[in-house]
Amino acid sequence: MRAMALIGYARVSSVGQSLDVQEAALREAGCEKLFAEKRSGRKASDREQLALALDFIREGDTLIVTRLDRLARSVIDLHQIIARVADKGASFRVLQQSGIDTSTSTGKLTLAVLAAVAEFEADIRAERQRDGIEAAKAKGIYKGRPATIDGTAIKDALATGESPSVLARRMGIARSTVYRLRDELAGA
């Protein structure tokens, strides 16, 4: 029978960020096995290393992260992950938020409250961002992301009779983009 293990999970959102600090903290906490990835935390279903960690964990093990937002960004994802850990007879702990330890009832309550607050803060941030963009658009300051596709090249290619499917494949863009630009150019 395998001994109880501490399993570490580290995540950063972008390729330019480093996992070194999280991995060092997890090793220092005694994690024998680490799973780490550079992926957005928006959806747990998109994170391969998290899935592997959850498959690896066994009864009596503890899944450890440095901060709660490294594991999940939504209350739904968090509860699903924690339920999966609990179904395996394992527990969950957060290093930098020491009150979060699902092996205790107080830790479970702390986890639920902090997860709800974190999701609320993310929603508020997104609302403020949308409000700021709308205000900038109204002032004529915000124009959106610069175009990355040359509309003239698409117009010229379509004028020569190239099909939207072939054009999309050749340019490495979606067919719907070609059709949308074709329709915009026709209406101009």
Side-chain angles (χ1 to χ4, degrees):
M1 187 169 143
R2 185 170 77 91
M4 293 183 285
L6 300 178
I7 312 303
Y9 174 72
R11 183 191 61 79
V12 292
S13 297
S14 67
V15 176
Q17 295 174 310
S18 173
L19 290 159
D20 295 347
V21 172
Q22 289 180 57
E23 289 175 338
L26 292 167
R27 280 193 188 90
E28 188 175 312
C31 293
E32 297 96 33
K33 179 81 173 158
L34 291 181
F35 294 88
E37 61 193 334
K38 295 183 177 190
R39 296 292 304 234
S40 167
R42 284 283 170 206
K43 292 190 325 191
S45 60
D46 292 341
R47 293 185 276 148
E48 181 182 324
Q49 290 298 305
L50 176 59
L52 291 172
L54 294 173
D55 287 343
F56 182 84
I57 202 165
R58 301 286 181 260
E59 184 174 353
D61 289 351
T62 302
L63 178 64
I64 301 177
V65 296
T66 56
R67 291 190 344 239
L68 190 57
D69 66 349
R70 300 300 84 202
L71 184 69
R73 293 294 222 170
S74 76
V75 173
I76 292 170
D77 271 352
L78 179 65
H79 286 297
Q80 289 173 344
I81 293 166
I82 299 305
R84 197 163 160 199
V85 169
D87 287 347
K88 290 189 159 207
S91 61
F92 170 70
R93 190 172 52 178
V94 181
L95 296 179
Q96 291 181 9
Q97 293 143 325
S98 58
I100 301 176
D101 181 345
T102 64
S103 66
T104 70
S105 57
T106 303
K108 289 176 188 174
L109 174 63
T110 303
L111 174 66
V113 170
L114 287 177
V117 169
E119 186 172 13
F120 174 74
E121 287 177 342
D123 289 346
I124 294 294
R125 236 184 343 268
E127 286 176 20
R128 286 185 187 141
Q129 182 181 16
R130 280 191 301 274
D131 291 347
I133 289 171
E134 290 304 317
K137 282 181 179 178
K139 293 178 184 175
I141 298 169
Y142 183 82
K143 305 290 185 203
R145 190 178 88 173
T148 56
I149 298 169
D150 184 359
T152 306
I154 290 176
K155 180 181 176 184
D156 293 345
L158 290 170
T160 65
E162 188 171 0
S163 78
S165 295
V166 171
L167 176 59
R169 212 173 8 259
R170 180 172 61 79
M171 294 186 79
I173 59 176
R175 262 189 329 201
S176 59
T177 301
V178 175
Y179 287 118
R180 181 180 49 78
L181 288 170
R182 180 194 66 188
D183 294 345
E184 285 176 10
L185 293 170

